[in-house]
Amino acid sequence: MTPSDNLLRRLARINPTTAFVVAVVVLLLGLFLPGVVGAALLCVLGLALAALTFTTWPVQRPAVRVVRLVLLTVLFAAVLAKTL
């Protein structure tokens, strides 16, 4: 078993509601905290979501892929806006 398989198995056991709530809390903290601190939180969230998107890319439908790419683009635009 490769390390990525182990990680995917661990991620599959996470309660989806808990993951959603944690992501929303980090998003809100990133949006409301000032400057670089907020941008750093948003960047960490964006990198985690980008890694998840990359990992699950082969099993997603094209419509889901487009939505994920659009949301990642908006999130990284928010990171850029927070740093400027």
Side-chain angles (χ1 to χ4, degrees):
M1 182 181 314
T2 65
S4 63
D5 289 339
N6 189 24
L7 176 63
L8 291 176
R9 290 182 194 279
R10 288 178 52 202
L11 287 174
R13 286 185 271 151
I14 293 174
N15 181 344
T17 304
T18 304
F20 176 76
V21 169
V22 169
V24 168
V25 168
V26 172
L27 176 68
L28 290 174
L29 283 172
L31 290 174
F32 289 112
L33 287 173
V36 177
V37 176
L41 277 175
L42 291 176
C43 190
V44 167
L45 179 63
L47 291 174
L49 293 177
L52 184 62
T53 297
F54 175 76
T55 305
T56 60
W57 189 265
V59 296
Q60 298 300 324
R61 293 177 314 193
V64 174
R65 292 176 182 173
V66 170
V67 170
R68 287 185 178 196
L69 288 176
V70 168
L71 291 175
L72 280 172
T73 302
V74 169
L75 182 58
F76 282 113
V79 170
L80 185 62
K82 290 286 281 186
T83 58
L84 297 179

